[in-house]
Each structure stands twice: as structure tokens, then as C-alpha cells.
Amino acid sequence: MIRLAVLNAATSPHRLGNVVTDWVVTRFGSNKAFAIDRIDLRDVGLPLFDEPDLPRYGHHRHEHTRRWAARIGAADAFVMVSPEYNRGYSALLKNALDYLVHEWAFKPVGIVSYGSGMSGGLVGAEALRGVLGSLQMYPVREMVVVPFVTEQSVREGTLSASEGMVEGIELMMDALVRMDAAMHLLRAPNEELGGQQGSQSGHEGADTRLRQGRPEAPDSWTTTTALERPPGFV
């Protein structure tokens, strides 16, 4: 089962993001492939980033950071429910992302964007996509855009979803299942990968064939697998 964290990134006390998030959680909850952890970022209460060390080193000094790292580290995949604020996404979400590096890395993520206009938060979602990529997450192409989110689109606390929104979230589910299967290998420790790293006995012949025709690396170079390198985010 895929442990899916659904993050509500809205900040307003009267936010309609709660209703959009309710809809997302309900739709994913109907799929037995997912176990859901709903995270309302406003309730998490992270202060503006206050760690003394860079996140990529993983030296979490504060208790609120350690709690956040444990919760995000336990997830296999994510859905970001993100409003558009002034053609960007919320500072609340950016701060939450900036706290961590390794806990986000090599995990797929879907975006559900919304806004009060026709674009449905699409501009903010595209700004978010680049940041997610820099954290070595994999934003799936399939997304959900919710336009004209106003009181009129909410009926008795329930989002009035269009056929396109329903189709979009179904496609996102399928994409997250597929990408989780692929990226699980990237998250596996080196010792679990065996010969796929070229170090297990019995694979020397295959490793030699792969190297044929390539110049040998100078002795001064060091070879490091992607799993041994911290993500490039600082």
C-alpha cells in the first residue's frame, strides 16, 4: 500500500482549500492502493525556517523539524493541494518544503491547484513544479486544475467537481501508482540493490561489457552512486 501524504497549503482562516482537500482525500480514499495522511500545513505550525544547518546535511536540531522529518519521511508519495497567491504558491508551502531535503527525494508528487479565476491556479502550480524538481521529487504530468473556486462552487461544504476534474484525479492516481513502483528502487539502500550497482559477485562480466569502449577514469576521480550523493538543494 502506498503511504500518501495530502498537503493542504492554504493559509486563510476562511480558506476554501479545506473543501478542495476534502474532495481529494475522499477520491484517493476510495482507491485501496493508498493509505492517506492528511496534513494541514497551517496546523503543523512550522516557524519560518530556523535550523542552524543546511537541510541537506540532515542535522535536524529542533523538535518541530524532527517531527516534520519523521512525518514526511514516512510517506511514499504526495499530493499538494495548492492555491495560487499572486501568480505563485503559498509561502506556507515553500517554508515546509525548505525544511527538508532527503525526506522529499525520489518520491512522486501530484499537484491539485485551484484559484478564483479561469486558470485555476495553474501559474502558481507551474512555479511549484520547478521547486519540487529541485528537491529530486517527480511531479507527475497528470494534475487537477480547479477554476473559479468561490462560494458558488461549494455546495453545503462539498466541492462541485466537473467531469474533467474527476478524470484528472483518476489519471493522477494511476500515475502515482506507476511512479511509486519505479522510484521505490531509487529510494532503496545500496545493499538492497545488489548487482544493480555492479558490486555483487557474479556480475563482473556484465560490468566489463558495459565499460568496453569507454576510457578508464583517472585515479584521482572518485565514483559515487546517485544514492550516495545528497540532493543538490542548499
Side-chain angles (χ1 to χ4, degrees):
M1 183 172 285
I2 299 170
R3 295 167 296 186
L4 178 77
V6 178
L7 279 66
N8 178 4
T11 63
S12 169
H14 304 292
R15 54 187 179 167
L16 292 177
N18 289 342
V19 179
V20 179
T21 304
D22 289 343
W23 177 75
V24 171
V25 168
T26 298
R27 298 298 306 192
F28 272 91
S30 66
N31 189 322
K32 294 182 180 180
F34 299 98
I36 299 170
D37 178 19
R38 174 175 177 154
I39 301 176
D40 290 323
L41 290 178
R42 196 181 66 176
D43 297 337
V44 171
L46 289 171
L48 191 64
F49 181 78
D50 62 351
E51 283 288 327
D53 298 322
L54 294 176
R56 66 181 179 185
Y57 297 124
H59 301 154
H60 306 316
R61 305 295 182 90
H62 299 308
E63 181 59 29
H64 57 257
T65 309
R66 290 193 288 270
R67 288 196 303 267
W68 182 234
R71 193 169 186 181
I72 295 304
D76 299 312
F78 304 94
V79 172
M80 307 291 180
V81 183
S82 179
E84 181 173 306
Y85 293 163
N86 300 315
R87 297 189 177 274
Y89 56 97
S90 71
L92 184 70
L93 178 55
K94 184 61 164 66
N95 187 54
L97 290 168
D98 287 348
Y99 259 90
L100 307 173
V101 169
H102 300 283
E103 294 82 358
W104 299 114
F106 307 123
K107 296 178 181 179
V109 54
I111 300 174
V112 176
S113 70
Y114 65 94
S116 59
M118 182 184 300
S119 69
L122 189 59
V123 176
E126 288 306 306
L128 174 60
R129 192 177 293 271
V131 173
L132 299 176
S134 75
L135 289 168
Q136 296 199 30
M137 303 174 78
Y138 186 92
V140 298
R141 181 187 63 181
E142 295 77 6
M143 65 178 293
V144 179
V145 177
V146 186
F148 302 116
V149 176
T150 63
E151 294 294 345
Q152 287 72 35
S153 66
V154 177
R155 310 285 171 77
E156 298 181 355
T158 303
L159 183 69
S160 180
S162 67
E163 290 183 8
M165 291 163 54
V166 173
E167 181 181 4
I169 203 165
E170 293 292 333
L171 291 172
M172 182 188 292
M173 289 182 198
D174 183 66
L176 289 174
V177 169
R178 290 173 179 270
M179 287 310 305
D180 174 72
M183 301 193 82
H184 181 77
L185 181 63
L186 294 176
R187 299 196 301 272
N190 283 346
E191 59 270 17
E192 294 183 10
L193 297 179
Q196 297 181 50
Q197 294 295 312
S199 59
Q200 189 175 9
S201 61
H203 290 263
E204 291 82 4
D207 189 50
T208 301
R209 289 193 296 273
L210 288 172
R211 292 199 304 266
Q212 284 180 351
R214 298 182 185 178
E216 292 293 330
D219 292 338
S220 60
W221 289 13
T222 58
T223 57
T224 307
T225 70
L227 293 172
E228 293 169 339
R229 291 195 300 268
F233 178 73
V234 298

